[in-house]
Amino acid sequence: MRWLVGWSSIAASFGTVGAVGAGDEGRTVHPVGSQLLWGDPDPLWAVGDWRPDEIRISTLETAEGAPTARLAVLGCCGATDEQLRLGLLAARGGALRHLTAWSGSYTAVVQIGRRITVVGDLAGARPVFYTPWASGTAYATAALPLADLIEAQLDIGHLAALLACPETPEALRDGTPYAGVKRIPPGHALILREGSREVTGYEPVASLAVAAPQLDPVSAVDGVRDALVEAVRTRLTAPRHAPETQPPDPGPVPGMGPAERRAARGAPVPGIGADLSGGSASATLALLAAGLPGLPGTLLGHGTGAGERLLAVTFNDLTTRDHEDELERAAVIAANPRLHHVVVAAGEEALPYADLGGGPLTDEPAPSLVVAERHRRRLTAGSADHFVGDGARQVLDAHPARLADLLMDRRRRHLLRPVAALARAEPPSAHSLFVPLTVYRAARRLARTSYRTGLEAAADRLPDANRHTPGLGTPADASLAALTWSRPGPAARWLTGEALAEVSVRLQEAALRPASVQRPGEARARAALARHAADHRILEQAAEIRSQRLHAPFLDNQVVRAARALPESLRVQPGARAAVLRRVLAGAGIHELPPGWGTPSQATSTAVSRTGLRTALPDLIALFDAPLLADAGLIEARVVRKALRAASEGAPLPLDGLADLAATELWLRRLVSRRGTCWTGTAAPRQRAVAGGVAPARRAVQR
């Protein structure tokens, strides 16, 4: 795991780094495996296997006695040195948005005298956390190190909210699974001034009455194209480094080329690669990377010379035959002479829920924990810099709640095609005839429901979520459930009444607090993107391969901003995402795409999940034999075991909800069995985070 950590103190001079009090000036603390970017009185470290080109520091020359002004940018950033200097000048004057406008994915930290500003991203894929510490504030891009620093206890209320309402920021608030460690929301920055803290937004938010200005469809799609091309080019032009350590070569194995031998050693192939599984988003990135001028990769030993082909990886799940069309489309795309196609064949060992006993401890639980081994097998065959299409659905697609925004703008005619598509997706029945009217009424009801009223209604319904759960078997059902200010998550049906009641109180308190009221569709879309970005970050940690970087350009600030300029009337049309990506590729000179390109593949994912659950059922039953979630008062083990057996036999239960429960239980077990901390030094914490386990927290839930 790679992260940044630093702190700001009250004292004019902090003396020794990490002093914990006036009488402890000789005591020190610093993170394990770190490099110091700048020192006292407000130090900043980079921890982990950062590449040299991923750490850039710009400093302004100031007159003697003037405040220090410097900027640290960590990650993949396309800004030139001059742009960094101009961004630092703007930040010194208080303008933060300039620091978020460069291509790539990065974290920016600005120091102006004793003022520290840490800027988060728009999606939430590069979050910022903070906690009070040593008469000041410690901040980091990971929550676990801060929890270690203050020896935090587990926040069971946050875990309950994460399971009950994962896409409702009002329930999650600014908390984390660790009591006392806070997270700044996406699109915000943390400003520290000698002990004081301020979280401020740098992005304009649409009000309830006035929609944000939108471009015409052609200009908006052109903006998405330019942003995506620039995001891909930034990754291609960044210096790339071979892995620092080379595992032993397994020797000449029949049928294995250089790339396959390297994958067998557990190290990524040097150069640029991309997923080519048939999904339109990842395929778009692969074609853009292969089509841009220059050298897309450094794959040796293939084609007419080194560095001319991009490594394209297709995952062939041998346990299901439902995605043969995807494999055929991938093969057609891979005929591009600038692509080197590698098919990763995997059986039961790569199903969801495989290898539940292994894996690293991540910052927080996420559904990706149960599929980490599956992704790790695919990524091991990939390149040191690997493109993935994560986030495209959330960035480009229209959340169903956007239908309410259209009604608020009196654009009813734009609802005709989406509601007609939902009706066609329904199985033929008398019910399907009323789908358009039902969806229209739900959208109108949401458009007329205020933010406060919507949250209060959601709080009233939540305690019954484990008894009255709406069916989500069809697209129309899912859309109707999403046409609300807040809805229960898929795991809510298995939570205890006490846990749901506590989350309900959180929603009621949020309804009473003053807030910048957003339009319902815009607010729900941003919340869904933030949840997905957080899950993607946990996947990066859970399936991490040393020296490999996963690049998700759709989560870049530049791409998110360009996508937000897409008109809602364009977003809600059936097949809008595939149409936008076709236009993006056409603008880059790529016109020939295989038939069926862009077809959704959700059915394949569901089939694989059910197969994995059925295969791993004995391990899952053992996992919930005496679960920590039950000790914390969040679930009843007997109820979950019954649901697991029923789902494995084909019962229509939400598989993603069971994945949430399994992932949270796995994370808890890894957390409480952990030893050691992220810190060293004479003042380093002596115990691990949540040293007391979950038993004390259960009593807190049941107060």
Side-chain angles (χ1 to χ4, degrees), residues 292-303:
L292 288 176
L295 305 181
T298 58
L299 185 64
L300 303 178
H302 296 283

Side-chain angles (χ1 to χ4, degrees), residues 449-458 485 507-508 510-513 517:
T449 302
S450 67
Y451 173 81
R452 176 172 177 172
T453 303
L455 285 188
E456 289 176 342
W485 277 104
L507 290 178
Q508 290 171 349
L512 298 176
R513 288 195 300 267
V517 179

Side-chain angles (χ1 to χ4, degrees), residues 614-636:
R614 188 183 305 116
T615 303
L617 184 62
D619 294 334
L620 288 171
I621 295 298
L623 182 69
F624 286 96
D625 184 43
L628 295 174
L629 284 173
D631 291 341
L634 298 184
I635 64 169
E636 292 184 14

Side-chain angles (χ1 to χ4, degrees), residues 20-215:
V20 295
D24 297 322
E25 295 181 358
R27 301 179 65 191
T28 62
V29 57
H30 56 84
V32 176
S34 63
Q35 53 180 309
L36 187 64
L37 301 185
W38 59 61
D40 292 342
D42 303 308
L44 176 68
W45 291 274
V47 185
D49 64 332
W50 292 93
R51 298 173 179 173
D53 57 284
E54 292 177 323
I55 301 177
R56 301 173 63 188
I57 298 179
S58 178
T59 303
L60 287 180
E61 295 184 3
T62 56
E64 185 177 353
T68 302
R70 50 193 173 191
L71 164 68
V73 176
L74 288 94
C76 182
C77 179
T80 64
D81 292 342
E82 178 61 18
Q83 287 174 326
L84 291 182
R85 191 183 72 84
L86 293 176
L88 179 54
L89 286 171
R92 188 169 64 173
L96 300 179
R97 199 169 185 268
H98 294 71
L99 303 177
T100 69
W102 303 313
S103 61
S105 178
Y106 54 88
T107 300
V109 183
V110 181
Q111 183 184 42
I112 309 294
R114 299 303 310 282
R115 185 184 73 189
I116 301 290
T117 303
V118 193
V119 184
D121 66 333
L122 289 176
R126 301 186 72 92
V128 177
F129 306 89
Y130 66 95
T131 186
W133 182 77
S135 301
T137 301
Y139 61 88
T141 55
L144 183 60
L146 297 183
D148 275 348
L149 186 65
I150 65 172
E151 299 181 75
Q153 292 295 316
L154 199 61
D155 187 346
I156 295 297
H158 181 84
L159 289 181
L162 196 59
L163 290 171
C165 300
E167 292 187 3
T168 304
E170 294 84 0
L172 298 173
R173 302 175 182 172
D174 60 351
T176 67
Y178 316 100
V181 179
K182 305 297 184 183
R183 177 200 312 258
I184 71 168
H188 286 68
L190 173 67
I191 301 177
L192 307 174
R193 293 186 182 91
E194 297 187 1
S196 66
R197 292 183 296 274
E198 178 187 356
V199 176
T200 182
Y202 56 79
E203 197 73 2
V205 176
S207 70
L208 187 61
V210 182
Q214 294 179 332
L215 302 175

Side-chain angles (χ1 to χ4, degrees), residues 120-129 183-187 202 364 526 529-537 555 557 560 564:
D121 66 333
L122 289 176
R126 301 186 72 92
V128 177
F129 306 89
R183 177 200 312 258
I184 71 168
Y202 56 79
E364 62 182 352
R526 293 193 182 207
L529 173 60
R531 186 68 257 157
H532 180 83
D535 291 345
H536 169 76
R537 174 175 169 269
L555 298 177
N557 286 348
V560 170
R564 286 178 178 173

Side-chain angles (χ1 to χ4, degrees), residues 304-361:
T304 58
E308 294 185 1
R309 305 180 78 185
L310 179 139
L311 182 66
V313 178
T314 296
F315 192 84
N316 182 13
D317 193 333
L318 302 180
T319 62
T320 178
R321 301 299 178 188
D322 295 336
H323 64 304
E324 293 181 356
D325 291 342
E326 290 187 9
L327 294 176
E328 292 178 3
R329 286 193 290 268
V332 172
I333 294 175
N336 186 320
R338 301 199 74 185
L339 293 176
H340 173 66
H341 194 202
V342 173
V343 178
V344 180
E348 292 186 355
E349 71 280 358
L351 283 170
Y353 304 101
D355 192 22
L356 293 180
L361 174 63

Side-chain angles (χ1 to χ4, degrees), residues 450-640:
S450 67
Y451 173 81
R452 176 172 177 172
T453 303
L455 285 188
E456 289 176 342
D460 292 340
R461 292 191 301 265
L462 188 60
D464 295 327
N466 55 2
R467 294 190 296 272
H468 306 291
T469 305
L472 302 178
T474 66
D477 292 337
S479 296
L480 287 171
L483 283 166
T484 178
W485 277 104
S486 172
R487 62 170 175 172
R493 65 187 302 159
W494 292 294
L495 298 184
T496 62
E498 293 85 353
L500 292 174
E502 177 168 331
V503 180
S504 175
V505 171
R506 285 173 169 244
L507 290 178
Q508 290 171 349
E509 293 174 349
L512 298 176
R513 288 195 300 267
S516 57
V517 179
Q518 298 174 325
R519 299 155 65 83
E522 179 70 14
R524 294 304 99 189
R526 293 193 182 207
L529 173 60
R531 186 68 257 157
H532 180 83
D535 291 345
H536 169 76
R537 174 175 169 269
I538 298 304
L539 173 62
E540 285 186 301
Q541 297 175 0
E544 183 179 23
I545 298 173
R546 184 171 178 81
S547 301
Q548 184 180 67
R549 298 292 185 267
L550 293 187
H551 300 287
F554 286 99
L555 298 177
D556 288 3
N557 286 348
Q558 196 179 35
V559 178
V560 170
R561 279 201 182 99
R564 286 178 178 173
L566 291 171
E568 290 175 343
S569 57
L570 172 64
R571 286 177 180 271
V572 300
Q573 303 309 318
R577 173 161 47 101
V580 169
L581 294 179
R582 282 180 181 273
R583 291 279 300 275
V584 168
L585 291 174
I590 302 170
H591 302 277
E592 298 296 330
L593 295 172
W597 184 86
T599 303
S601 56
Q602 189 64 33
T604 300
S605 174
T606 302
V608 170
S609 296
R610 195 174 297 278
T611 302
L613 189 149
R614 188 183 305 116
T615 303
L617 184 62
D619 294 334
L620 288 171
I621 295 298
L623 182 69
F624 286 96
D625 184 43
L628 295 174
L629 284 173
D631 291 341
L634 298 184
I635 64 169
E636 292 184 14
R638 173 186 55 83
V639 174
V640 175

